[in-house]
Structures are given as structure tokens and as C-alpha cells.
Amino acid sequence: MASGPRYTVPMRRRREARTDYHQRLRLLKSGKPRLVARKSNQAVTAQLITRGPQGDETVASARSTDLAEYGWEAPTGNLPAAYLTGVLAGLRAVEAGLDEAVLDIGLNSPTPGSKVFAVQEGAIDAGLEVPHNDSVLADWSRTRGEHVAEYAEQKEEDLYSGDFDATELPDHFDELRETLLEGDVEL
């Protein structure tokens, strides 16, 4: 490791590879709330965060595990769940009085068609204005989960453990999306 009087130790979160401060500064300079999309193998999280005098403040948030309250029976770590999480976060943000945001993907790779862009697409469909390029969004068939259903049909045993049949994922997705966007649920 470097040493000497001219060497400065990087900030802790930079050393831990948890924060890209140059990207964060560009997002904060926009003056718009940030749509923070984070993913894991089990769940997807979407938050709308604004700057405040005491630091960042979360205005609205949704986690893919919240979808169970609205009837979601499929796993929560896939692309359809990421889209629906974006819809839920977008609806909660619009209800809280926000109308625009910028996407913050953190240290995730900006891979076209990924879960973080599915969250963005869901928030846009919920009425939030987020600057985007359509080329990064997944095909609608993938967002609905048709690729999962096709794979499940090819497999002889059940794809998911539990009671959910993966071949019904696109229909289940359409039902919940319609329920959320029609406003028949309490957020």
C-alpha cells in the first residue's frame, strides 16, 4: 500500500467498493430525486430519495417482497418482480407528490434488459418521469416472464419449489400489473 506525506487514504465506502462518489455527485447535481434500484438474488428494492438538510431522505420505497400483499405468489428475485416493484414504488412516489426522478443504479453494471432497468420501466409506467433510452429496456415478453414460462414447460419437474406453477407466470404478472395500475389497491 502506498504511503508518504502526499498519499491520502480513500473514503471508507470507496475502499469497500460500495460507493462511486463521482457518479453520486453527478446525480445530486441534477437536483432531482433519485430512483435508487438495488437487486439481490432474492429480492429487488426501489426507493425514491431526495436531498435534505440532515442528509438523504427516503420519500417512497418498495421491495419485491411487498408484492405478496397484493397477491404475488411467484418468486421475488426475477425480472417480472423487478418491474412490478418499480410500478409500486412509482405509484407511492406519485402519491407522495413526486413527478420526476433520475435513475441511480449504484455499482450495478448497466446491462441492457437487467432488473435495474425493469424497475425504471415500472416507475415510468406508474406515471413517474425518468429520463431513459428505450434501448436499455428489456423486451416486453421478457418483462412479463415468458422466457421463464417457456423454460418451465421444457423441464419435467417443477421449476419453483412451492405451490406456484412457473408456466402461469405471464398471466399472473398481467393480473397483478392491471390491479396495481388501475388503482384498486391501497398503497
Side-chain angles (χ1 to χ4, degrees), residues 12 21 23 32 37 49 53 57 66 75 80 88 94 96 102 104 106 122 128 137-138 148 151 176 181:
R12 178 185 57 85
Y21 285 101
Q23 178 188 14
K32 296 179 182 177
I49 298 177
E57 297 175 3
D66 297 345
L88 191 57
V94 169
V102 293
D104 180 354
L128 207 59
L137 303 177
V148 176
Y151 181 70
L176 186 59
L181 291 178

Side-chain angles (χ1 to χ4, degrees), residues 23-174:
Q23 178 188 14
R24 179 176 164 75
L25 182 62
R26 283 193 305 269
L27 291 170
L28 292 176
K29 281 184 175 179
S30 72
K32 296 179 182 177
R34 293 179 295 138
L35 172 60
V36 178
R38 299 293 184 263
K39 64 186 178 80
S40 70
N41 289 338
Q42 301 297 317
V44 177
T45 304
Q47 298 176 318
L48 277 108
I49 298 177
T50 59
R51 291 188 322 179
Q54 304 299 324
D56 290 349
E57 297 175 3
T58 303
V59 177
S61 69
R63 190 161 166 82
S64 58
T65 54
D66 297 345
L67 296 173
E69 298 173 20
Y70 303 102
W72 185 251
E73 297 172 2
T76 56
N78 56 22
L79 195 65
Y83 172 86
L84 292 172
T85 303
V87 169
L88 191 57
L91 291 172
R92 289 176 178 173
V94 169
E95 187 177 275
L98 297 178
D99 58 348
E100 63 180 354
V102 293
L103 181 65
D104 180 354
I105 62 170
L107 297 176
N108 290 309
S109 298
T111 306
S114 68
K115 293 177 197 175
V116 291
F117 293 122
V119 170
Q120 178 186 24
E121 184 178 10
I124 291 168
D125 289 350
L128 207 59
E129 290 187 29
V130 183
H132 68 286
N133 185 344
D134 289 334
S135 66
V136 298
L137 303 177
D139 292 333
W140 186 244
S141 63
R142 284 191 66 80
T143 303
R144 288 184 66 230
E146 290 177 18
H147 64 291
V148 176
E150 289 173 10
Y151 181 70
E153 287 175 2
Q154 295 173 359
K155 298 278 290 184
E156 292 180 10
E157 68 266 359
D158 290 339
L159 186 61
Y160 296 132
S161 60
D163 297 331
F164 186 75
D165 182 15
T167 59
E168 299 174 5
L169 183 62
D171 296 330
H172 186 53
F173 169 84
D174 291 338

